[in-house]
Amino acid sequence: MDFEFSEEQLMIQQAARDYAQRELIQDVLERDEKAVFPEKHIKNLAELGFMGMMVDPEYGGSGMDTVSYVLAMEEISKIDAATSVIMSINNSLVCFGLDKFGNDEQKKKYLTPLASGEIIGAFLLSEPEAGSDATHQHTTAEDKGDYYLLNGTKNWISNANSASTYIVMAQTHPEKKHRGINAFIIEKNTPGISLGPHEDKMGMRSSDTHSVMFSDVKVPKENRIGADGFGFKFAMMVLEAGRIGIASQALGIASGALERATAYAKERKAFGTELANHQAIAFKLADMAVKIENARNLCLKAAWLKDNNKPITVASAMAKQYAADMAMEVTTEAVQIHGGYGYVKEYHVERLMREAKLTQIYEGTSEIQKIVISRDVLKD
Ligand code: CAA
């Protein structure tokens, strides 16, 4: 087993670290407070090649591997997970899906500007009554011959306003249940699409989240991804890859919290000595470090499996469930170590704790990951 990173992987990690620590940090508190979309940073991340990291340069991407993506996601998320989720959705849910399952025409027209970061994308699966229970899609896509007619509502859509291109799942053959679902590429400015209000979220506040309504939206037939009825499998396969991104995000949030808690414990004095000299605090830091290392190994293993074209369903579910739950524990401890200072915005750890919470919910809750993992444990 080789635990060394290549020179290229280390350079990508360093580039992400430098950008996050020098640039992203500067306005992160203000963006969080005012829920301002990080437009300038997304442009800069695109210039670094981070918006289509794993896509072939032929289609506008950077041709990097998934291990590099994990390293970059960790560094960006240490400082600002609201920015890293925009990057993650574009990379894993949108670009990966088009790269793996789109045809050449679709890749030329849609993947190329998405992977280069010229535009960004969104993934529209969740609905008001179909979140975890994703097979029960109520949005319909009626086959009208040379086009599909879409009607319905999608919920909790990250990048809904900032994206130009949507990947949308909708039901074409209700009698076939999930085997009747299709996936479509839809341009956001298509007539009949409207957005609900900006969701005022607890964390990840500068990423834009809205519901999206479709009212008699005409979608050309050539915008369907894959064969008729492939949409649910498409969504599942894209999500299982996407979970590596969110697992790495949770890892980054936790390692950012550990870095801040460690620095604070070395500086702040109580009872005549630095907090770090109190075993109650030092042992907390040790526990946090072990959990973070476990999560990092799960993320890297899932990434390595994906890079080597091996099954990732269980590995990505394990990485996401463990990293997300771990991030919640570690950020809570980081706030505790900071005491009262941890509860105010200036010290960042309360924001990291709010960000960690969402990693347990989106792209499949921790409970959904446990369904996937337990089915594998229990199978014959
Ligand atoms: N790869 C390929 N196919 C898969 C699959 C996978 N990983 N997982 C399931 N499938 C297929 C199954 O083989 C089955 O197909 P067939 O019947 O043709 O064999 C079909 O999908 C249905 O599978 P199940 O019978 O297992 O369905 P289920 O309802 O029992 O459970 C589930 C499926 C795993 C719970 C799934 O519904 C799920 O993952 N739910 C969570 C959805 C989710 O992650 N939502 C997040 C929204 S996206 C988001 O958050 C983005 C954002 O903006 C941040």
Side-chain angles (χ1 to χ4, degrees), residues 89 93 123 125-126 131-135 156-158 178-179 232-233 236-237 239-240 243 313 362-364 368 371-372 375:
I89 288 167
L93 298 187
F123 184 81
L125 175 68
S126 300
S132 290
D133 187 8
T135 56
W156 314 124
I157 305 307
S158 310
H178 63 270
R179 292 182 189 161
F232 191 73
K233 276 210 188 301
M236 290 295 104
M237 287 191 268
L239 273 171
E240 68 181 24
R243 285 166 187 161
T313 310
Y362 62 16
E363 292 198 30
I368 287 291
I371 291 178
V372 175
R375 282 180 181 173

PDB file of all heavy atoms in Angstrom, residues 89 93 123 125-126 131-135 156-158 178-179 232-233 236-237 239-240 243 313 362-364 368 371-372 375, ligand 1:
ATOM      1  N   ILE A  89     -20.502  20.570  -5.996  1.00  0.00           N
ATOM      2  CA  ILE A  89     -21.665  20.241  -6.839  1.00  0.00           C
ATOM      3  C   ILE A  89     -21.278  20.325  -8.312  1.00  0.00           C
ATOM      4  O   ILE A  89     -21.609  19.456  -9.121  1.00  0.00           O
ATOM      5  CB  ILE A  89     -22.858  21.157  -6.503  1.00  0.00           C
ATOM      6  CG1 ILE A  89     -23.418  20.741  -5.147  1.00  0.00           C
ATOM      7  CG2 ILE A  89     -23.948  21.095  -7.575  1.00  0.00           C
ATOM      8  CD1 ILE A  89     -24.378  21.694  -4.542  1.00  0.00           C
ATOM      9  N   LEU A  93     -21.449  16.426  -9.028  1.00  0.00           N
ATOM     10  CA  LEU A  93     -22.814  16.085  -9.432  1.00  0.00           C
ATOM     11  C   LEU A  93     -23.084  16.474 -10.879  1.00  0.00           C
ATOM     12  O   LEU A  93     -23.830  15.798 -11.573  1.00  0.00           O
ATOM     13  CB  LEU A  93     -23.841  16.749  -8.502  1.00  0.00           C
ATOM     14  CG  LEU A  93     -23.797  16.335  -7.026  1.00  0.00           C
ATOM     15  CD1 LEU A  93     -24.966  16.923  -6.251  1.00  0.00           C
ATOM     16  CD2 LEU A  93     -23.779  14.823  -6.859  1.00  0.00           C
ATOM     17  N   PHE A 123     -27.856  20.416  -9.579  1.00  0.00           N
ATOM     18  CA  PHE A 123     -28.374  19.042  -9.675  1.00  0.00           C
ATOM     19  C   PHE A 123     -29.739  19.018  -8.996  1.00  0.00           C
ATOM     20  O   PHE A 123     -29.831  19.276  -7.793  1.00  0.00           O
ATOM     21  CB  PHE A 123     -27.380  18.125  -8.963  1.00  0.00           C
ATOM     22  CG  PHE A 123     -27.669  16.660  -9.022  1.00  0.00           C
ATOM     23  CD1 PHE A 123     -27.323  15.910 -10.143  1.00  0.00           C
ATOM     24  CD2 PHE A 123     -28.232  16.008  -7.939  1.00  0.00           C
ATOM     25  CE1 PHE A 123     -27.550  14.537 -10.182  1.00  0.00           C
ATOM     26  CE2 PHE A 123     -28.470  14.638  -7.972  1.00  0.00           C
ATOM     27  CZ  PHE A 123     -28.125  13.907  -9.090  1.00  0.00           C
ATOM     28  N   LEU A 125     -32.704  16.982  -7.913  1.00  0.00           N
ATOM     29  CA  LEU A 125     -33.347  15.694  -7.621  1.00  0.00           C
ATOM     30  C   LEU A 125     -34.420  15.881  -6.541  1.00  0.00           C
ATOM     31  O   LEU A 125     -35.571  15.468  -6.714  1.00  0.00           O
ATOM     32  CB  LEU A 125     -32.293  14.675  -7.162  1.00  0.00           C
ATOM     33  CG  LEU A 125     -32.819  13.309  -6.699  1.00  0.00           C
ATOM     34  CD1 LEU A 125     -33.411  12.524  -7.880  1.00  0.00           C
ATOM     35  CD2 LEU A 125     -31.696  12.471  -6.055  1.00  0.00           C
ATOM     36  N   SER A 126     -34.052  16.511  -5.423  1.00  0.00           N
ATOM     37  CA  SER A 126     -34.964  16.615  -4.267  1.00  0.00           C
ATOM     38  C   SER A 126     -36.231  17.387  -4.607  1.00  0.00           C
ATOM     39  O   SER A 126     -36.207  18.334  -5.391  1.00  0.00           O
ATOM     40  CB  SER A 126     -34.274  17.324  -3.102  1.00  0.00           C
ATOM     41  OG  SER A 126     -33.137  16.617  -2.721  1.00  0.00           O
ATOM     42  N   GLY A 131     -37.259  13.713  -0.689  1.00  0.00           N
ATOM     43  CA  GLY A 131     -35.891  14.081  -0.321  1.00  0.00           C
ATOM     44  C   GLY A 131     -35.071  12.812  -0.241  1.00  0.00           C
ATOM     45  O   GLY A 131     -34.490  12.356  -1.229  1.00  0.00           O
ATOM     46  N   SER A 132     -35.094  12.174   0.937  1.00  0.00           N
ATOM     47  CA  SER A 132     -34.413  10.882   1.085  1.00  0.00           C
ATOM     48  C   SER A 132     -35.069   9.823   0.202  1.00  0.00           C
ATOM     49  O   SER A 132     -34.397   8.978  -0.394  1.00  0.00           O
ATOM     50  CB  SER A 132     -34.471  10.427   2.549  1.00  0.00           C
ATOM     51  OG  SER A 132     -33.646  11.256   3.329  1.00  0.00           O
ATOM     52  N   ASP A 133     -36.402   9.881   0.121  1.00  0.00           N
ATOM     53  CA  ASP A 133     -37.160   8.889  -0.653  1.00  0.00           C
ATOM     54  C   ASP A 133     -37.173   9.300  -2.132  1.00  0.00           C
ATOM     55  O   ASP A 133     -38.209   9.668  -2.694  1.00  0.00           O
ATOM     56  CB  ASP A 133     -38.586   8.839  -0.087  1.00  0.00           C
ATOM     57  CG  ASP A 133     -39.407   7.733  -0.707  1.00  0.00           C
ATOM     58  OD1 ASP A 133     -38.840   6.916  -1.465  1.00  0.00           O
ATOM     59  OD2 ASP A 133     -40.620   7.691  -0.445  1.00  0.00           O
ATOM     60  N   ALA A 134     -35.996   9.220  -2.728  1.00  0.00           N
ATOM     61  CA  ALA A 134     -35.799   9.846  -4.040  1.00  0.00           C
ATOM     62  C   ALA A 134     -36.483   9.117  -5.199  1.00  0.00           C
ATOM     63  O   ALA A 134     -36.638   9.681  -6.278  1.00  0.00           O
ATOM     64  CB  ALA A 134     -34.307   9.965  -4.322  1.00  0.00           C
ATOM     65  N   THR A 135     -36.903   7.870  -4.996  1.00  0.00           N
ATOM     66  CA  THR A 135     -37.560   7.155  -6.117  1.00  0.00           C
ATOM     67  C   THR A 135     -38.930   7.764  -6.439  1.00  0.00           C
ATOM     68  O   THR A 135     -39.422   7.603  -7.548  1.00  0.00           O
ATOM     69  CB  THR A 135     -37.770   5.646  -5.809  1.00  0.00           C
ATOM     70  OG1 THR A 135     -38.507   5.535  -4.603  1.00  0.00           O
ATOM     71  CG2 THR A 135     -36.453   4.890  -5.702  1.00  0.00           C
ATOM     72  N   TRP A 156     -34.660  22.677  -2.251  1.00  0.00           N
ATOM     73  CA  TRP A 156     -33.303  22.673  -1.656  1.00  0.00           C
ATOM     74  C   TRP A 156     -32.216  22.596  -2.710  1.00  0.00           C
ATOM     75  O   TRP A 156     -31.276  21.824  -2.571  1.00  0.00           O
ATOM     76  CB  TRP A 156     -33.121  21.483  -0.685  1.00  0.00           C
ATOM     77  CG  TRP A 156     -34.232  21.254   0.276  1.00  0.00           C
ATOM     78  CD1 TRP A 156     -34.934  20.111   0.439  1.00  0.00           C
ATOM     79  CD2 TRP A 156     -34.741  22.191   1.236  1.00  0.00           C
ATOM     80  NE1 TRP A 156     -35.866  20.263   1.423  1.00  0.00           N
ATOM     81  CE2 TRP A 156     -35.775  21.536   1.925  1.00  0.00           C
ATOM     82  CE3 TRP A 156     -34.439  23.517   1.558  1.00  0.00           C
ATOM     83  CZ2 TRP A 156     -36.508  22.169   2.931  1.00  0.00           C
ATOM     84  CZ3 TRP A 156     -35.164  24.140   2.556  1.00  0.00           C
ATOM     85  CH2 TRP A 156     -36.182  23.460   3.233  1.00  0.00           C
ATOM     86  N   ILE A 157     -32.360  23.374  -3.771  1.00  0.00           N
ATOM     87  CA  ILE A 157     -31.403  23.252  -4.872  1.00  0.00           C
ATOM     88  C   ILE A 157     -30.243  24.239  -4.683  1.00  0.00           C
ATOM     89  O   ILE A 157     -30.408  25.453  -4.831  1.00  0.00           O
ATOM     90  CB  ILE A 157     -32.104  23.450  -6.244  1.00  0.00           C
ATOM     91  CG1 ILE A 157     -33.275  22.462  -6.377  1.00  0.00           C
ATOM     92  CG2 ILE A 157     -31.098  23.295  -7.380  1.00  0.00           C
ATOM     93  CD1 ILE A 157     -32.928  20.992  -6.144  1.00  0.00           C
ATOM     94  N   SER A 158     -29.070  23.666  -4.392  1.00  0.00           N
ATOM     95  CA  SER A 158     -27.860  24.489  -4.266  1.00  0.00           C
ATOM     96  C   SER A 158     -27.482  24.999  -5.647  1.00  0.00           C
ATOM     97  O   SER A 158     -27.621  24.262  -6.634  1.00  0.00           O
ATOM     98  CB  SER A 158     -26.696  23.666  -3.722  1.00  0.00           C
ATOM     99  OG  SER A 158     -27.070  22.957  -2.581  1.00  0.00           O
ATOM    100  N   HIS A 178     -39.480   3.892 -10.373  1.00  0.00           N
ATOM    101  CA  HIS A 178     -38.185   4.569 -10.561  1.00  0.00           C
ATOM    102  C   HIS A 178     -37.555   4.251 -11.918  1.00  0.00           C
ATOM    103  O   HIS A 178     -36.720   4.992 -12.410  1.00  0.00           O
ATOM    104  CB  HIS A 178     -37.212   4.231  -9.418  1.00  0.00           C
ATOM    105  CG  HIS A 178     -36.859   2.788  -9.340  1.00  0.00           C
ATOM    106  ND1 HIS A 178     -37.577   1.887  -8.594  1.00  0.00           N
ATOM    107  CD2 HIS A 178     -35.881   2.077  -9.953  1.00  0.00           C
ATOM    108  CE1 HIS A 178     -37.043   0.690  -8.729  1.00  0.00           C
ATOM    109  NE2 HIS A 178     -36.011   0.770  -9.539  1.00  0.00           N
ATOM    110  N   ARG A 179     -38.007   3.158 -12.540  1.00  0.00           N
ATOM    111  CA  ARG A 179     -37.430   2.810 -13.850  1.00  0.00           C
ATOM    112  C   ARG A 179     -38.017   3.665 -14.978  1.00  0.00           C
ATOM    113  O   ARG A 179     -37.627   3.529 -16.134  1.00  0.00           O
ATOM    114  CB  ARG A 179     -37.647   1.331 -14.150  1.00  0.00           C
ATOM    115  CG  ARG A 179     -36.821   0.459 -13.212  1.00  0.00           C
ATOM    116  CD  ARG A 179     -36.965  -1.005 -13.487  1.00  0.00           C
ATOM    117  NE  ARG A 179     -36.340  -1.792 -12.451  1.00  0.00           N
ATOM    118  CZ  ARG A 179     -36.585  -3.059 -12.208  1.00  0.00           C
ATOM    119  NH1 ARG A 179     -37.469  -3.712 -12.953  1.00  0.00           N
ATOM    120  NH2 ARG A 179     -35.979  -3.692 -11.235  1.00  0.00           N
ATOM    121  N   PHE A 232     -32.970   7.386 -12.825  1.00  0.00           N
ATOM    122  CA  PHE A 232     -32.764   7.127 -11.393  1.00  0.00           C
ATOM    123  C   PHE A 232     -31.395   6.501 -11.155  1.00  0.00           C
ATOM    124  O   PHE A 232     -30.673   6.896 -10.244  1.00  0.00           O
ATOM    125  CB  PHE A 232     -33.875   6.257 -10.796  1.00  0.00           C
ATOM    126  CG  PHE A 232     -33.790   6.234  -9.301  1.00  0.00           C
ATOM    127  CD1 PHE A 232     -34.154   7.350  -8.546  1.00  0.00           C
ATOM    128  CD2 PHE A 232     -33.281   5.132  -8.620  1.00  0.00           C
ATOM    129  CE1 PHE A 232     -34.028   7.367  -7.166  1.00  0.00           C
ATOM    130  CE2 PHE A 232     -33.151   5.138  -7.234  1.00  0.00           C
ATOM    131  CZ  PHE A 232     -33.537   6.260  -6.504  1.00  0.00           C
ATOM    132  N   LYS A 233     -31.035   5.550 -11.997  1.00  0.00           N
ATOM    133  CA  LYS A 233     -29.689   4.941 -11.856  1.00  0.00           C
ATOM    134  C   LYS A 233     -28.622   6.009 -12.046  1.00  0.00           C
ATOM    135  O   LYS A 233     -27.619   6.033 -11.334  1.00  0.00           O
ATOM    136  CB  LYS A 233     -29.498   3.821 -12.896  1.00  0.00           C
ATOM    137  CG  LYS A 233     -30.068   2.493 -12.435  1.00  0.00           C
ATOM    138  CD  LYS A 233     -29.301   1.312 -13.025  1.00  0.00           C
ATOM    139  CE  LYS A 233     -29.969  -0.013 -12.732  1.00  0.00           C
ATOM    140  NZ  LYS A 233     -30.158  -0.353 -11.357  1.00  0.00           N
ATOM    141  N   MET A 236     -28.343   7.982  -8.863  1.00  0.00           N
ATOM    142  CA  MET A 236     -27.682   7.211  -7.799  1.00  0.00           C
ATOM    143  C   MET A 236     -26.173   7.121  -8.038  1.00  0.00           C
ATOM    144  O   MET A 236     -25.380   7.270  -7.117  1.00  0.00           O
ATOM    145  CB  MET A 236     -28.268   5.794  -7.723  1.00  0.00           C
ATOM    146  CG  MET A 236     -29.682   5.722  -7.190  1.00  0.00           C
ATOM    147  SD  MET A 236     -29.811   6.248  -5.462  1.00  0.00           S
ATOM    148  CE  MET A 236     -30.525   7.865  -5.626  1.00  0.00           C
ATOM    149  N   MET A 237     -25.795   6.891  -9.288  1.00  0.00           N
ATOM    150  CA  MET A 237     -24.353   6.729  -9.577  1.00  0.00           C
ATOM    151  C   MET A 237     -23.626   8.066  -9.455  1.00  0.00           C
ATOM    152  O   MET A 237     -22.478   8.115  -9.017  1.00  0.00           O
ATOM    153  CB  MET A 237     -24.153   6.092 -10.949  1.00  0.00           C
ATOM    154  CG  MET A 237     -24.511   4.613 -10.920  1.00  0.00           C
ATOM    155  SD  MET A 237     -24.017   3.732 -12.399  1.00  0.00           S
ATOM    156  CE  MET A 237     -25.479   3.869 -13.378  1.00  0.00           C
ATOM    157  N   LEU A 239     -24.643  10.505  -7.427  1.00  0.00           N
ATOM    158  CA  LEU A 239     -24.612  10.834  -5.993  1.00  0.00           C
ATOM    159  C   LEU A 239     -23.543  10.052  -5.251  1.00  0.00           C
ATOM    160  O   LEU A 239     -22.909  10.581  -4.345  1.00  0.00           O
ATOM    161  CB  LEU A 239     -25.983  10.558  -5.365  1.00  0.00           C
ATOM    162  CG  LEU A 239     -26.992  11.700  -5.454  1.00  0.00           C
ATOM    163  CD1 LEU A 239     -28.364  11.224  -5.001  1.00  0.00           C
ATOM    164  CD2 LEU A 239     -26.562  12.897  -4.630  1.00  0.00           C
ATOM    165  N   GLU A 240     -23.345   8.791  -5.630  1.00  0.00           N
ATOM    166  CA  GLU A 240     -22.343   8.023  -4.876  1.00  0.00           C
ATOM    167  C   GLU A 240     -20.942   8.598  -5.104  1.00  0.00           C
ATOM    168  O   GLU A 240     -20.112   8.575  -4.203  1.00  0.00           O
ATOM    169  CB  GLU A 240     -22.416   6.520  -5.154  1.00  0.00           C
ATOM    170  CG  GLU A 240     -22.012   6.105  -6.526  1.00  0.00           C
ATOM    171  CD  GLU A 240     -22.127   4.591  -6.739  1.00  0.00           C
ATOM    172  OE1 GLU A 240     -22.906   3.918  -6.050  1.00  0.00           O
ATOM    173  OE2 GLU A 240     -21.419   4.105  -7.637  1.00  0.00           O
ATOM    174  N   ARG A 243     -20.732  11.956  -3.073  1.00  0.00           N
ATOM    175  CA  ARG A 243     -20.559  11.815  -1.621  1.00  0.00           C
ATOM    176  C   ARG A 243     -19.102  11.873  -1.208  1.00  0.00           C
ATOM    177  O   ARG A 243     -18.781  12.249  -0.071  1.00  0.00           O
ATOM    178  CB  ARG A 243     -21.248  10.527  -1.155  1.00  0.00           C
ATOM    179  CG  ARG A 243     -22.754  10.722  -1.146  1.00  0.00           C
ATOM    180  CD  ARG A 243     -23.574   9.473  -1.028  1.00  0.00           C
ATOM    181  NE  ARG A 243     -24.994   9.843  -1.205  1.00  0.00           N
ATOM    182  CZ  ARG A 243     -25.955   8.995  -1.523  1.00  0.00           C
ATOM    183  NH1 ARG A 243     -25.692   7.722  -1.702  1.00  0.00           N
ATOM    184  NH2 ARG A 243     -27.200   9.432  -1.661  1.00  0.00           N
ATOM    185  N   THR A 313     -19.819   2.376  -4.136  1.00  0.00           N
ATOM    186  CA  THR A 313     -21.096   2.605  -3.448  1.00  0.00           C
ATOM    187  C   THR A 313     -20.930   2.599  -1.927  1.00  0.00           C
ATOM    188  O   THR A 313     -21.342   3.540  -1.242  1.00  0.00           O
ATOM    189  CB  THR A 313     -22.120   1.513  -3.854  1.00  0.00           C
ATOM    190  OG1 THR A 313     -22.138   1.417  -5.268  1.00  0.00           O
ATOM    191  CG2 THR A 313     -23.503   1.834  -3.342  1.00  0.00           C
ATOM    192  N   TYR A 362     -27.277  16.970   3.544  1.00  0.00           N
ATOM    193  CA  TYR A 362     -27.407  16.970   2.070  1.00  0.00           C
ATOM    194  C   TYR A 362     -26.596  15.857   1.397  1.00  0.00           C
ATOM    195  O   TYR A 362     -25.771  15.221   2.024  1.00  0.00           O
ATOM    196  CB  TYR A 362     -27.173  18.338   1.451  1.00  0.00           C
ATOM    197  CG  TYR A 362     -25.845  19.044   1.580  1.00  0.00           C
ATOM    198  CD1 TYR A 362     -24.680  18.432   1.959  1.00  0.00           C
ATOM    199  CD2 TYR A 362     -25.794  20.404   1.258  1.00  0.00           C
ATOM    200  CE1 TYR A 362     -23.489  19.123   2.026  1.00  0.00           C
ATOM    201  CE2 TYR A 362     -24.597  21.108   1.319  1.00  0.00           C
ATOM    202  CZ  TYR A 362     -23.446  20.453   1.706  1.00  0.00           C
ATOM    203  OH  TYR A 362     -22.280  21.142   1.768  1.00  0.00           O
ATOM    204  N   GLU A 363     -26.933  15.664   0.117  1.00  0.00           N
ATOM    205  CA  GLU A 363     -26.376  14.554  -0.695  1.00  0.00           C
ATOM    206  C   GLU A 363     -26.512  13.200   0.009  1.00  0.00           C
ATOM    207  O   GLU A 363     -25.612  12.361  -0.034  1.00  0.00           O
ATOM    208  CB  GLU A 363     -24.943  14.860  -1.128  1.00  0.00           C
ATOM    209  CG  GLU A 363     -24.918  16.011  -2.130  1.00  0.00           C
ATOM    210  CD  GLU A 363     -23.668  16.133  -2.949  1.00  0.00           C
ATOM    211  OE1 GLU A 363     -23.037  15.113  -3.209  1.00  0.00           O
ATOM    212  OE2 GLU A 363     -23.351  17.269  -3.342  1.00  0.00           O
ATOM    213  N   GLY A 364     -27.663  13.010   0.664  1.00  0.00           N
ATOM    214  CA  GLY A 364     -27.939  11.763   1.383  1.00  0.00           C
ATOM    215  C   GLY A 364     -27.597  11.939   2.854  1.00  0.00           C
ATOM    216  O   GLY A 364     -26.431  12.117   3.208  1.00  0.00           O
ATOM    217  N   ILE A 368     -29.381   7.783   5.475  1.00  0.00           N
ATOM    218  CA  ILE A 368     -29.381   7.159   4.134  1.00  0.00           C
ATOM    219  C   ILE A 368     -28.073   6.400   3.908  1.00  0.00           C
ATOM    220  O   ILE A 368     -28.061   5.277   3.383  1.00  0.00           O
ATOM    221  CB  ILE A 368     -29.608   8.232   3.025  1.00  0.00           C
ATOM    222  CG1 ILE A 368     -31.056   8.716   3.024  1.00  0.00           C
ATOM    223  CG2 ILE A 368     -29.210   7.705   1.637  1.00  0.00           C
ATOM    224  CD1 ILE A 368     -32.087   7.691   2.573  1.00  0.00           C
ATOM    225  N   ILE A 371     -28.269   3.157   5.521  1.00  0.00           N
ATOM    226  CA  ILE A 371     -29.084   2.190   4.756  1.00  0.00           C
ATOM    227  C   ILE A 371     -28.177   1.501   3.735  1.00  0.00           C
ATOM    228  O   ILE A 371     -28.152   0.275   3.618  1.00  0.00           O
ATOM    229  CB  ILE A 371     -30.264   2.890   4.037  1.00  0.00           C
ATOM    230  CG1 ILE A 371     -31.300   3.380   5.042  1.00  0.00           C
ATOM    231  CG2 ILE A 371     -30.908   1.956   3.006  1.00  0.00           C
ATOM    232  CD1 ILE A 371     -32.477   4.129   4.409  1.00  0.00           C
ATOM    233  N   VAL A 372     -27.413   2.312   3.006  1.00  0.00           N
ATOM    234  CA  VAL A 372     -26.542   1.744   1.964  1.00  0.00           C
ATOM    235  C   VAL A 372     -25.517   0.801   2.599  1.00  0.00           C
ATOM    236  O   VAL A 372     -25.300  -0.321   2.124  1.00  0.00           O
ATOM    237  CB  VAL A 372     -25.825   2.891   1.190  1.00  0.00           C
ATOM    238  CG1 VAL A 372     -24.823   2.329   0.189  1.00  0.00           C
ATOM    239  CG2 VAL A 372     -26.849   3.783   0.473  1.00  0.00           C
ATOM    240  N   ARG A 375     -27.187  -2.443   4.167  1.00  0.00           N
ATOM    241  CA  ARG A 375     -27.616  -3.406   3.139  1.00  0.00           C
ATOM    242  C   ARG A 375     -26.432  -4.232   2.671  1.00  0.00           C
ATOM    243  O   ARG A 375     -26.557  -5.419   2.393  1.00  0.00           O
ATOM    244  CB  ARG A 375     -28.254  -2.671   1.954  1.00  0.00           C
ATOM    245  CG  ARG A 375     -29.676  -2.234   2.241  1.00  0.00           C
ATOM    246  CD  ARG A 375     -30.250  -1.514   1.034  1.00  0.00           C
ATOM    247  NE  ARG A 375     -31.612  -1.068   1.284  1.00  0.00           N
ATOM    248  CZ  ARG A 375     -32.309  -0.299   0.456  1.00  0.00           C
ATOM    249  NH1 ARG A 375     -31.775   0.113  -0.672  1.00  0.00           N
ATOM    250  NH2 ARG A 375     -33.542   0.054   0.746  1.00  0.00           N
TER     251      ARG A 375
HETATM  252  N1  CAA B   1     -25.874   2.681  -8.322  1.00  0.00           N
HETATM  253  C1  CAA B   1     -26.673   2.234  -9.317  1.00  0.00           C
HETATM  254  N2  CAA B   1     -27.968   1.924  -9.109  1.00  0.00           N
HETATM  255  C2  CAA B   1     -28.457   2.073  -7.870  1.00  0.00           C
HETATM  256  C3  CAA B   1     -27.678   2.535  -6.802  1.00  0.00           C
HETATM  257  C4  CAA B   1     -26.324   2.838  -7.072  1.00  0.00           C
HETATM  258  N3  CAA B   1     -25.518   3.310  -6.111  1.00  0.00           N
HETATM  259  N4  CAA B   1     -28.437   2.588  -5.690  1.00  0.00           N
HETATM  260  C5  CAA B   1     -29.665   2.152  -6.047  1.00  0.00           C
HETATM  261  N5  CAA B   1     -29.660   1.849  -7.363  1.00  0.00           N
HETATM  262  C6  CAA B   1     -30.773   1.332  -8.159  1.00  0.00           C
HETATM  263  C7  CAA B   1     -31.179  -0.054  -7.692  1.00  0.00           C
HETATM  264  O1  CAA B   1     -30.408  -1.037  -8.329  1.00  0.00           O
HETATM  265  C8  CAA B   1     -32.627  -0.090  -8.105  1.00  0.00           C
HETATM  266  O2  CAA B   1     -32.729  -0.324  -9.475  1.00  0.00           O
HETATM  267  P1  CAA B   1     -33.520  -1.611 -10.071  1.00  0.00           P
HETATM  268  O3  CAA B   1     -34.836  -1.691  -9.326  1.00  0.00           O
HETATM  269  O4  CAA B   1     -33.654  -1.312 -11.495  1.00  0.00           O
HETATM  270  O5  CAA B   1     -32.626  -2.754  -9.768  1.00  0.00           O
HETATM  271  C9  CAA B   1     -33.080   1.353  -7.917  1.00  0.00           C
HETATM  272  O6  CAA B   1     -31.902   2.152  -7.940  1.00  0.00           O
HETATM  273  C10 CAA B   1     -33.831   1.577  -6.633  1.00  0.00           C
HETATM  274  O7  CAA B   1     -32.981   1.194  -5.572  1.00  0.00           O
HETATM  275  P2  CAA B   1     -33.555   0.705  -4.189  1.00  0.00           P
HETATM  276  O8  CAA B   1     -34.546  -0.367  -4.407  1.00  0.00           O
HETATM  277  O9  CAA B   1     -32.367   0.416  -3.340  1.00  0.00           O
HETATM  278  O10 CAA B   1     -34.335   2.006  -3.723  1.00  0.00           O
HETATM  279  P3  CAA B   1     -34.726   2.485  -2.258  1.00  0.00           P
HETATM  280  O11 CAA B   1     -35.834   3.422  -2.408  1.00  0.00           O
HETATM  281  O12 CAA B   1     -34.871   1.337  -1.331  1.00  0.00           O
HETATM  282  O13 CAA B   1     -33.419   3.251  -1.723  1.00  0.00           O
HETATM  283  C11 CAA B   1     -31.853   5.022  -1.624  1.00  0.00           C
HETATM  284  C12 CAA B   1     -32.624   4.035  -2.484  1.00  0.00           C
HETATM  285  C13 CAA B   1     -30.414   4.521  -1.494  1.00  0.00           C
HETATM  286  C14 CAA B   1     -32.420   5.245  -0.259  1.00  0.00           C
HETATM  287  C15 CAA B   1     -31.936   6.278  -2.475  1.00  0.00           C
HETATM  288  O14 CAA B   1     -33.282   6.686  -2.598  1.00  0.00           O
HETATM  289  C16 CAA B   1     -31.124   7.433  -1.963  1.00  0.00           C
HETATM  290  O15 CAA B   1     -29.901   7.430  -2.136  1.00  0.00           O
HETATM  291  N6  CAA B   1     -31.797   8.423  -1.361  1.00  0.00           N
HETATM  292  C17 CAA B   1     -31.105   9.637  -0.961  1.00  0.00           C
HETATM  293  C18 CAA B   1     -31.201  10.663  -2.052  1.00  0.00           C
HETATM  294  C19 CAA B   1     -30.196  11.736  -1.892  1.00  0.00           C
HETATM  295  O16 CAA B   1     -28.991  11.498  -1.686  1.00  0.00           O
HETATM  296  N7  CAA B   1     -30.642  12.978  -2.061  1.00  0.00           N
HETATM  297  C20 CAA B   1     -29.726  14.065  -2.054  1.00  0.00           C
HETATM  298  C21 CAA B   1     -30.216  15.080  -3.017  1.00  0.00           C
HETATM  299  S1  CAA B   1     -28.989  15.825  -3.944  1.00  0.00           S
HETATM  300  C22 CAA B   1     -28.374  17.075  -3.035  1.00  0.00           C
HETATM  301  O17 CAA B   1     -28.443  17.117  -1.843  1.00  0.00           O
HETATM  302  C23 CAA B   1     -27.636  18.056  -3.903  1.00  0.00           C
HETATM  303  C24 CAA B   1     -27.509  19.412  -3.362  1.00  0.00           C
HETATM  304  O18 CAA B   1     -28.029  20.363  -3.912  1.00  0.00           O
HETATM  305  C25 CAA B   1     -26.519  19.642  -2.265  1.00  0.00           C
END
